[in-house]
Every structure is written in structure tokens, then in C-alpha cells.
Amino acid sequence: MAVTMTLAARTGAAFQVPRGGTLRVINTYGSQVVDTWAVARQEPQHGLSMAHTRAVLGRLVVKAGDELVDDRRRPVLHIAEDTSPGVHDTLIPACDPVRYRQLGHTGHHDNCSDNYHRALADSGLPDLLIPVPVPLNLFMNVPVNSDGDIVFSAPVSRPGDSVLLRALADVVVVLSACPQDILPVNGVLQQPRDVEVRITDAPGKHTEERS
Ligand SMILES: [Zn+2]
């Protein structure tokens, strides 16, 4: 059975996804970046690795049909479907308190790194990956130009666009609705938004999930 929940703006959550289970990330407002990690449930010292995935795919950007791998190059997640224009980021680390300080913010600022640690703690899985792995930044638009420069740009995804991830191993998927509101990472309005997450926890249920 599929369960849909709201991931509130600026927050994170962890989801147990067994091999064959699926998780759909729905960009309700179209403008929200979702930092995405997958940690191996039985061996939490391993997890989804963007560096290894880029090398295996021979590409900077992930597409529908791709198999994403962990730091042992073992398949972890399959991008089963992507209804968005396909612009995602695999390069940029999760935002953290230092990032916001360097951007001129004083005092506390919600951030994806803290969301990751908190969500993983709530899941009961040991927090062994140091530093926080570079996430798959769904819907994040950071084009690389011909000089190698990168630009933090607004997402090009549309309201209701979604990415369907299928677990290729037993994993805990951690999501963070990025609270970046200083750069246009979450749209030109710089307004972090809620997203929706739909999970199916059993193999063979993706047909129902799509209904
Ligand atoms: Zn963030």
C-alpha cells in the first residue's frame, strides 16, 4: 500500500525502503530542492555516493533509467521515473551552518546537514558517514558552464513534477527539503516549500503506487 506524507519546508525525514520498494518525491510547488541520501541498512558505513555514481554513469546528471551506486559501486537506487525536465545536481554538498554564516546570516539557520543527522538519528541507524555525503540534489539547478564555472540557479521543475526512486538494496533514504533562502536555489522567491513523499514498502507494489 502506498502512503503519502508531507515533508514540511526546511525539514528532513528518513524512510526505511526495502529492496524493491519505491519512494516518489513530489515537488508540490515546483521550486523546492530535495537533498537525497541512501544509507545501507545492514552496513550503515556505506551509502549512496555521487562521486562513484558520476564515474559509473559517465555523466554529471542522473536520468530516468539510471542505477545509482554506493561507495563500493554497488547499485543502491534506480531512477524509475522522472516527470521533471531532468535538471538535478550531483556536485554540491549539503548546506550547513558554516555555509549560512559565510553567506552573511547570523544566528541559527535551518540546514540540510542538521536535517540529515536528525533524521538518521530518528531512524535508529548509526550515523557513520563522515563527512555528510554529497547528496543527490533533486530538482537543484546548478549549471556548469564551458569555463567550469557553476551558477546557483532557480529550479526549472514545475508544480507536481516528481522523481520515482526504486531501492536496489535495503536502504534508509533520508530527504531534506532544503531551507536555502539566501540564494535562489529554491526558486526566485527564495521561499522554501513543502514537498510530498509517497512510499511503497513492498516489492511489486509500484503499479499501485502509480495509480
Ligand atoms: Zn540545503
Side-chain angles (χ1 to χ4, degrees):
M1 197 175 81
V3 176
T4 304
M5 60 155 284
T6 298
L7 179 63
R10 314 179 79 94
T11 71
F15 304 88
Q16 310 267 351
V17 188
R19 184 177 177 182
T22 64
L23 184 151
R24 185 183 291 275
V25 181
I26 304 164
N27 203 342
T28 314
Y29 296 90
S31 55
Q32 180 61 45
V33 165
V34 183
D35 291 37
T36 302
W37 296 266
V39 181
R41 205 159 60 191
Q42 301 303 327
E43 300 166 281
Q45 70 273 34
H46 297 291
L48 178 65
S49 165
M50 287 299 95
H52 293 83
T53 294
R54 289 191 299 267
V56 166
L57 296 178
R59 237 188 295 116
L60 293 178
V61 182
V62 298
K63 295 180 180 175
D66 283 348
E67 288 190 1
L68 319 187
V69 300
D70 68 8
D71 53 293
R72 301 167 291 184
R73 303 179 195 269
R74 294 186 187 172
V76 180
L77 292 178
H78 172 231
I79 304 215
E81 190 181 316
D82 182 2
T83 74
S84 81
V87 176
H88 310 287
D89 171 76
T90 68
L91 294 174
I92 304 300
C95 60
D96 53 33
V98 176
R99 176 67 164 152
Y100 290 104
R101 266 205 305 281
Q102 291 179 342
L103 288 169
H105 183 82
T106 53
H108 173 78
H109 195 290
D110 296 324
N111 64 86
C112 291
S113 296
D114 284 353
N115 287 347
Y116 169 86
H117 291 305
R118 201 174 297 126
L120 209 54
D122 289 347
S123 81
L125 214 61
D127 194 344
L128 302 178
L129 299 174
I130 301 170
V132 174
V134 171
L136 168 60
N137 295 306
L138 291 175
F139 312 112
M140 190 180 196
N141 180 18
V142 183
V144 182
N145 75 17
S146 57
D147 292 329
D149 294 332
I150 57 175
V151 184
F152 286 78
S153 307
V156 296
S157 39
R158 302 150 301 201
D161 277 348
S162 68
V163 173
L164 180 66
L165 303 172
R166 177 169 295 118
L168 301 174
D170 290 338
V171 290
V172 169
V173 172
V174 179
L175 302 178
S176 173
C178 181
Q180 175 59 264
D181 53 7
I182 299 174
L183 300 174
V185 161
N186 292 306
V188 292
L189 298 178
Q190 299 175 207
Q191 174 65 58
R193 303 282 193 185
D194 297 352
V195 295
E196 278 185 296
V197 181
R198 193 175 306 155
I199 53 172
T200 56
D201 60 2
K205 293 292 181 69
H206 54 272
T207 303
E208 284 180 25
E209 191 277 339
R210 284 179 174 185
S211 65

